Amino acid sequence: ARFAIRPVSSVEVAVAMPTLFRSFNRAGARWSTVEPGDLDLQLNATLYQDRSPLSHAVFMTSLLKFPTAPVALDPDGAMLESILQPGCSSVVPSLGGGYELGWSVVSFQFNAALLVPIVVREAPHRGTSFRQTSTVRARPATGLAFTAGWTWLLEAVGQDQFDAIEENSGGTTGY
């Protein structure tokens, strides 16, 4: 769930709380969970905007994630690896920016951001990451938009609750 408001036309403030519906099949054990992710606070500011027939916009984004997700355990009570945790067990500040090109109803957007976790709990935690997102958006009516796109995540290796490196974490993911 995400809720956003625009107190002024060039600034958007948002709060988001994902809900994860997950099923696991691992080492002969199967289980399913429904759990919250981490709470996100986001600020988007438009730095430049030209509304000519071919509109352009340059914007900045900042994000602050809070470790509100529970630490996930397997059926034997062992903590799951950082990549399988519903949250990051860290306070994560992020700074990024983007560019948008659009016409009356359709726009294309390119975003990039750096996320730097500050570990606050003794639990598996993810590493520093760089995220790039590209989207196409159709706005057939005010307040209604359809968005499709992709995200690339380049992430440093994660660590377990003892700060030992997790061999199967980090790398590049596209979705």
Side-chain angles (χ1 to χ4, degrees), residues 103-156:
W103 295 268
S104 62
V105 175
V106 177
S107 64
F108 300 93
Q109 195 175 88
F110 176 86
N111 304 331
L114 180 66
L115 293 86
V116 182
I118 301 164
V119 179
V120 295
R121 315 188 225 198
E122 290 184 16
H125 48 276
R126 298 176 77 162
T128 299
S129 62
F130 174 78
R131 181 176 297 162
Q132 187 281 315
T133 302
S134 298
T135 58
V136 60
R137 181 175 293 141
R139 291 184 191 102
T142 302
L144 177 64
F146 298 97
T147 304
W150 62 84
T151 297
W152 287 99
L153 180 65
L154 286 75
E155 186 171 40

Side-chain angles (χ1 to χ4, degrees), residues 4 20 25 37 41 56 71 77 100 104 117 119 129 159 166 175:
L20 293 93
N25 183 3
L41 297 179
H56 303 272
V71 175
E100 183 174 34
S104 62
V119 179
S129 62
Q159 296 176 322
E166 292 180 333
Y175 55 94

Side-chain angles (χ1 to χ4, degrees), residues 16 47 63 76 97 99 113 133 162:
L47 304 176
L63 172 76
D76 296 327
Y99 174 74
T133 302
F162 307 110

Side-chain angles (χ1 to χ4, degrees), residues 15-20 35-41 64-72 85-92 120-121:
V15 61
M17 173 68 82
T19 301
L20 293 93
E35 52 203 351
D38 286 338
L39 178 73
D40 294 350
L41 297 179
L64 191 57
K65 292 174 87 58
F66 294 96
T68 56
V71 175
Q85 290 293 329
C88 58
S89 294
S90 304
V91 172
V92 184
V120 295
R121 315 188 225 198

Side-chain angles (χ1 to χ4, degrees), residues 7-63:
V8 294
S9 64
S10 63
V11 175
E12 178 187 77
V13 179
V15 61
M17 173 68 82
T19 301
L20 293 93
F21 298 85
R22 308 188 311 161
S23 294
F24 296 91
N25 183 3
R26 187 173 166 175
R30 291 183 177 184
W31 73 99
S32 296
T33 64
V34 177
E35 52 203 351
D38 286 338
L39 178 73
D40 294 350
L41 297 179
Q42 187 172 12
L43 175 71
N44 299 316
T46 303
L47 304 176
Y48 169 79
Q49 189 165 28
D50 177 4
R51 294 184 182 267
S52 62
L54 180 62
S55 66
H56 303 272
V58 176
F59 52 91
M60 180 196 76
T61 61
S62 60
L63 172 76

